[in-house]
Amino acid sequence: MKTSDIDIRRLPVNKIINGGMELAQRNTSFSGLTGFVNQYTLDRYNFLNSSVNPFTFDVEQDSDIPTDLVGYNSMKVTSTTGGTIHTDGYVSIEQRVEGYNLIDIVNKDFIVAFRVKASNIGTNSVFLSNTVFDQRIAIPYEITVADEWQTVYVNVPGRDFSTGFDLATGLGLRVAFVIAAGAGTRQEEHNGVWQTGAGGNTGVIGQVNNFANNGDYIQFSGVMVYDATHGEIEFERAGRNYVEELALCQRYFEVVAAASFMLVPDGTNTTIYACSCSFKQTKRAQPVASNFDIGQINGGQATFSNTGATTSVDGISAVSTGTNASNINYTYRNVSTVEVDAEL
């Protein structure tokens, strides 16, 4: 399936991609995250940790899910070094929704719904904003029982996304689960009103420190953002199937297998080779490619470097920089797995 078969401007109900945490193209676990972290983990989810915080985290795709979400997964964040959050620190999980996907909820109330489970009870928050945080709202919710899954529906007042928000291929809306916030990054509940002016990622007054002790955790699944006129719906009704979710994830990030590349001589120069590959999905924007390396066959060698790669929204090509490539069988696919990144 191509994303052209799914109108990115009219995704069915749910504005969140990979809400069931099924896709993990980069890896299924990310260990030892400490200091400043601003890193994509499971597909479409960015993990942020302030440099001033004392914690070390493991982030992983976990099979522990609510009983009615069979076939999905959860995203689990565990602190391997508990402590007191810095007064100016915060920790969050964020999905950055592409602008096209907001068009049909401009000026409409919407709902952020999800399943959550944590080792600590207390107040947490959902934080929503535009790219530069000068239009934002923080809304609290309560975890009432430790170590049990619960369902949360957060009602968000409508906003005129046509002013101050990107409604094209850029970052339209930040949807963040703030899971720890120091006193300096907390503010009173916004009382259902969007705030304007200078600001940043924030929690709410009374927000619990989910990571006070070694082994403390919080995990999420069944994440949705949708038009409030649908009411409180179950995740399955808003979910897409695996093939559709993968196609949408690959609009932003794709792992290109070595077998997808074909080496061919670069013109009449028998010591220089070119390779190319079309992407499975057209990218949101011109992507960045990484992880080219050296391949060797029949005593010949050709090097493909990240800096030498040329990308478009539809594919990638590169010319070898090796000087001993004359013995390479040009029909041999000779590039390692390549990561192609067009994330927001």
Side-chain angles (χ1 to χ4, degrees), residues 53-79:
N53 290 332
F55 311 116
T56 300
F57 294 102
D58 291 343
V59 178
E60 60 185 324
Q61 183 186 58
D62 198 277
S63 59
D64 178 19
I65 53 172
T67 55
D68 61 326
L69 291 186
V70 176
Y72 296 103
N73 292 294
S74 61
M75 180 177 180
K76 185 176 184 180
V77 179
T78 305
S79 174

Side-chain angles (χ1 to χ4, degrees), residues 135-170:
Q135 297 192 53
R136 62 196 181 279
I137 188 169
I139 303 175
Y141 67 92
E142 296 293 323
I143 294 177
T144 56
V145 181
D147 302 315
E148 289 188 13
W149 284 103
Q150 67 182 70
T151 302
V152 177
Y153 293 95
V154 173
N155 293 289
V156 184
R159 188 68 174 169
D160 184 3
F161 294 132
S162 65
T163 302
F165 290 79
D166 189 316
L167 292 181
T169 58

Side-chain angles (χ1 to χ4, degrees), residues 3 154 194 221 311 339 343:
T3 51
V154 173
W194 285 80
S221 189
T311 60
E339 295 182 353
E343 287 284 7

Side-chain angles (χ1 to χ4, degrees), residues 29-324:
S29 63
F30 305 81
S31 301
L33 303 180
T34 190
F36 177 71
V37 181
N38 181 13
Q39 177 179 334
Y40 274 91
T41 53
L42 306 191
D43 276 57
R44 303 296 296 121
Y45 292 97
N46 189 272
F47 180 72
L48 296 103
N49 178 54
S50 301
S51 60
V52 292
N53 290 332
F55 311 116
T56 300
F57 294 102
D58 291 343
V59 178
E60 60 185 324
Q61 183 186 58
D62 198 277
S63 59
D64 178 19
I65 53 172
T67 55
D68 61 326
L69 291 186
V70 176
Y72 296 103
N73 292 294
S74 61
M75 180 177 180
K76 185 176 184 180
V77 179
T78 305
S79 174
T80 59
T81 55
T84 301
I85 189 165
H86 191 280
T87 185
D88 294 323
Y90 65 88
V91 186
S92 69
I93 300 166
E94 179 182 80
Q95 181 155 149
R96 299 165 182 171
V97 180
E98 186 175 352
Y100 276 141
N101 206 12
L102 299 177
I103 293 173
D104 61 345
I105 58 170
V106 170
N107 281 322
K108 291 183 179 180
D109 294 351
F110 59 95
I111 292 173
V112 180
F114 52 95
R115 308 296 181 86
V116 63
K117 178 180 176 180
S119 52
N120 296 290
I121 63 172
T123 302
N124 286 271
S125 60
V126 173
F127 177 76
L128 304 108
S129 79
N130 62 358
T131 303
V132 296
F133 303 104
D134 63 3
Q135 297 192 53
R136 62 196 181 279
I137 188 169
I139 303 175
Y141 67 92
E142 296 293 323
I143 294 177
T144 56
V145 181
D147 302 315
E148 289 188 13
W149 284 103
Q150 67 182 70
T151 302
V152 177
Y153 293 95
V154 173
N155 293 289
V156 184
R159 188 68 174 169
D160 184 3
F161 294 132
S162 65
T163 302
F165 290 79
D166 189 316
L167 292 181
T169 58
L171 197 165
L173 181 69
R174 298 179 185 271
V175 179
F177 297 100
V178 180
I179 51 181
T185 62
R186 302 173 191 167
Q187 53 188 277
E188 295 287 354
E189 179 187 354
H190 290 157
N191 296 317
V193 178
W194 285 80
Q195 306 297 299
T196 58
N201 201 334
T202 182
V204 294
I205 298 295
Q207 178 130 1
V208 67
N209 177 12
N210 283 300
F211 307 109
N213 303 298
N214 185 7
D216 280 354
Y217 73 91
I218 188 169
Q219 58 196 113
F220 296 88
S221 189
V223 181
M224 299 184 290
V225 170
Y226 62 92
D227 185 336
T229 58
H230 293 283
E232 294 185 355
I233 63 177
E234 296 296 322
F235 178 72
E236 293 88 341
R237 285 185 59 197
R240 295 170 287 270
N241 66 43
Y242 181 90
V243 173
E244 292 171 323
E245 291 284 9
L246 176 59
L248 291 170
C249 287
Q250 288 176 333
R251 176 175 171 81
Y252 307 92
F253 181 88
E254 182 178 333
V255 177
V256 182
S260 300
F261 286 85
M262 179 72 74
L263 282 173
V264 295
D266 184 31
T268 59
N269 191 333
T270 59
T271 65
I272 301 296
Y273 280 73
C275 69
S276 63
C277 176
S278 296
F279 300 140
K280 293 177 182 177
Q281 304 297 335
T282 299
K283 298 295 170 277
R284 175 192 65 84
Q286 183 177 0
V288 175
S290 61
N291 290 356
F292 279 131
D293 72 357
I294 297 172
Q296 183 172 337
I297 316 154
N298 299 331
Q301 190 174 80
T303 303
F304 296 94
S305 68
N306 299 327
T307 56
T310 299
T311 60
S312 70
V313 295
D314 295 313
I316 182 172
S317 61
V319 175
S320 67
T321 57
T323 57
N324 186 25

